[in-house]
Amino acid sequence: QVQLVESGGGLVQAGGSLKLSCAASGRTSSMYAMGWFRQAPGKEREFLAHIRGRLGITDYAQSVKGRFTISRYNAKNTVYLQMNSLKPEDTAVYSCAAGPPSGSYNLTGSYVYWGQGTQVTVSS
């Protein structure tokens, strides 16, 4: 089993920044892809970004490309999401996830382990 714990959420003003962290523990694997998703009230869960492979290949949803950056620190089994130029529509619960290779990394079904989520609220 793998446990994922997100932190770093909170309340920020529009135009501000937050950096989220996701710490993994348990039987982790360096081969897992790591992804970030969010879900706003009444909305479907939305893919944001993922990072995978030895070289740290990344991909982003169009809605956050250029504003959000995913990164990792392998020695600490931690993945980050730097969020800049935040907008009120970014308000959601943000979750990290881990999964083995061979899936479609923008889909929730490609991930096996999920964190509990951290609330991000952007005020206008």
Side-chain angles (χ1 to χ4, degrees):
Q1 280 286 328
V2 173
Q3 295 80 46
L4 304 175
V5 179
E6 303 95 336
S7 61
L11 174 65
V12 297
Q13 293 182 323
S17 298
L18 279 176
K19 188 173 185 177
L20 307 182
S21 298
C22 174
S25 61
R27 295 190 178 274
T28 59
S29 172
S30 62
M31 297 182 66
Y32 283 166
M34 299 293 297
W36 283 98
F37 294 78
R38 69 185 180 191
Q39 188 167 26
K43 304 292 185 181
E44 295 292 319
R45 185 176 292 169
E46 178 187 11
F47 165 78
L48 300 175
H50 84 267
I51 186 165
R52 71 182 191 273
R54 183 174 60 85
L55 299 179
I57 298 168
T58 61
D59 195 22
Y60 298 89
Q62 289 294 327
S63 60
V64 303
K65 191 173 296 183
R67 298 191 298 126
F68 291 10
T69 303
I70 189 170
S71 61
R72 68 187 183 192
Y73 184 23
N74 290 338
K76 296 292 185 181
N77 293 314
T78 303
V79 64
Y80 306 94
L81 186 68
Q82 176 68 49
M83 306 185 293
N84 298 324
S85 301
L86 285 163
K87 308 171 182 178
E89 51 262 45
D90 294 319
T91 296
V93 174
Y94 285 68
S95 301
C96 66
S102 77
S104 298
Y105 299 106
N106 62 321
L107 301 178
T108 60
S110 296
Y111 297 87
V112 177
Y113 303 103
W114 292 82
Q116 83 289 347
T118 185
Q119 177 71 45
V120 172
T121 303
V122 184
S123 64
S124 58

